[in-house]
């Protein structure tokens, strides 16, 4: 029997939508805020602790809702912990090396196997754990948690989770991994870009300027600063997916079957005497 991703129920969807809405506001508010407010707070130094304080209990809420809706037990949480530990250990291997980050490969396949709810939590918890491991704690951390959570969640939302296998699945995952690697970099660029406000550079964020003009500057900023880094991340994710992705998917699916992710607990009354 093939292991299936944990399904999203109404409570899981509600929790993920709430987290997503908070994340969109956290990333995008400087673009629409009053110029004076944007100049004073666009560095995110003040709002990042509040975002982290909101994000951590919401991650717990997503796990609880997914467990409740999906009919799985605490062994799924243990599986998340193991994968998060592996991802946290992988992250320093590519840090500072032209965007070659093997952690994205693990998040891609884990999101596919575990489903969007657990994928989002896994991505966020992995960033949190790796930041504690490497001393990379800062105002950027909750934004990285959101971005990585969205990356892994997207893999869980790809079609054909129950039936698509083999080369077709690998090609789909590789294509998503390439696009999502650039998307991750773009989203994180939005965090860093707003801190460049007020400079004379034509790619810097200008508080109070029309949204369209600022978006043009943002596109130029991405092209000038991160395209090479994002390309390295995308290429490595594609190469790993097409070469060892099949083996890794089989291992992850075997582990989920052994953890009885799909086992449904039922209670039956006593047998009636003949």
């Amino acid at each position: 029997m093939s292991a299936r991703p944990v399904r999203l129920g109404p409570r899981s969807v509600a929790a993920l939508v709430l987290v997503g809405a908070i994340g969109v506001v956290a990333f995008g508010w400087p673009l629409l805020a009053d110029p004076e407010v944007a100049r004073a707070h666009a560095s995110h130094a003040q709002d990042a602790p509040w975002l982290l304080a909101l994000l951590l209990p919401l991650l717990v809420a997503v796990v609880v809702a997914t467990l409740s809706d999906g009919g799985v037990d605490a062994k799924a949480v243990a599986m998340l912990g193991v994968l998060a530990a592996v991802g946290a250990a992988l992250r320093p291997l590519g840090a500072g090396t032209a965007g070659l980050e093997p952690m994205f490969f693990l998040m891609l396949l884990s999101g596919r196997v575990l489903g969007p709810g657990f994928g989002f939590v896994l991505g966020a918890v992995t960033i949190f754990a790796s930041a504690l491991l490497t001393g990379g704690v800062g105002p950027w951390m909750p934004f990285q948690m959101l971005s990585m959570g969205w990356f892994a969640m997207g893999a869980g939302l790809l079609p054909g989770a129950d039936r698509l296998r083999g080369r077709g699945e690998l090609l789909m995952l590789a294509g998503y991994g390439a696009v999502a690697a650039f998307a991750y970099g773009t989203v994180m660029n939005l965090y860093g870009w707003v801190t460049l406000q007020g400079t004379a550079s034509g790619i810097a964020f200008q508080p109070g300027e029309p949204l369209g003009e600022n978006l043009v500057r943002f596109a130029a900023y991405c092209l000038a600063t991160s395209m090479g880094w994002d390309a390295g991340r995308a290429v490595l994710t594609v190469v790993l997916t097409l070469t060892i992705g099949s083996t890794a998917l089989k291992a992850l699916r075997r582990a989920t079957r052994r953890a009885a992710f799909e086992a449904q607990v039922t209670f039956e009354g006593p047998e009636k005497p003949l």
Side-chain angles (χ1 to χ4, degrees), residues 1-273:
M1 182 177 62
S2 178
R4 294 176 297 176
V6 179
R7 301 295 185 183
L8 284 180
R11 285 167 288 195
S12 306
V13 171
L16 287 171
V17 168
L18 178 58
V19 176
I22 292 173
V24 169
V25 172
F27 274 103
W29 72 262
L31 294 174
L32 303 175
D34 179 82
E36 294 302 320
V37 174
R39 291 189 186 96
H41 302 289
S43 66
H44 294 294
Q46 289 79 25
D47 61 336
W50 293 104
L51 177 59
L52 182 62
L54 280 173
L55 186 56
L56 292 179
L58 284 173
L59 289 176
V60 176
V62 172
V63 171
V64 172
T66 306
L67 289 172
S68 177
D69 290 338
V72 292
D73 58 23
K75 286 181 285 188
V77 180
M79 183 78 168
L80 280 175
V82 171
L83 290 173
V86 174
L90 285 175
R91 192 182 183 199
L93 297 180
T97 312
L100 302 180
E101 299 172 276
M103 179 184 67
F104 280 80
F105 166 71
L106 178 63
M107 296 298 104
L108 172 67
L109 269 57
S110 298
R112 173 67 170 176
V113 172
L114 296 177
F118 278 178
F120 178 85
V121 176
L122 174 63
V125 171
T126 300
I127 292 293
F128 183 77
S130 66
L132 296 180
L133 180 66
T134 61
V137 177
W140 57 83
M141 186 181 71
F143 296 91
Q144 289 178 328
M145 290 170 66
L146 283 166
S147 299
M148 186 60 72
W150 288 332
F151 177 92
M153 182 179 72
L157 292 172
L158 292 173
D162 293 339
R163 59 190 180 277
L164 182 61
R165 297 291 184 269
R167 193 68 176 174
E169 182 179 35
L170 291 180
L171 289 173
M172 180 183 68
L173 288 173
Y176 169 79
V179 173
F182 280 97
Y184 174 89
T186 301
V187 171
M188 284 307 302
N189 281 340
L190 183 58
Y191 162 82
W193 173 66
V194 296
T195 65
L196 298 177
Q197 56 178 314
T199 67
S201 171
I203 63 174
F205 170 55
Q206 301 296 332
E209 291 292 316
L211 178 61
E213 293 182 13
N214 265 326
L215 289 179
V216 170
R217 294 189 183 96
F218 177 60
Y221 172 84
C222 292
L223 288 172
T225 62
S226 68
M227 285 299 293
W229 189 278
D230 294 340
R233 180 189 301 122
V235 169
L236 181 62
T237 303
V238 169
V239 170
L240 291 177
T241 301
L242 295 179
T243 53
I244 62 174
S246 178
T247 302
L249 283 171
K250 289 176 182 177
L252 285 169
R253 285 172 171 143
R254 188 181 305 115
T256 59
R257 286 196 299 270
R258 290 181 177 178
F261 271 39
E262 298 172 351
Q264 301 291 328
V265 178
T266 59
F267 297 93
E268 298 180 356
E271 294 183 0
K272 294 181 180 180

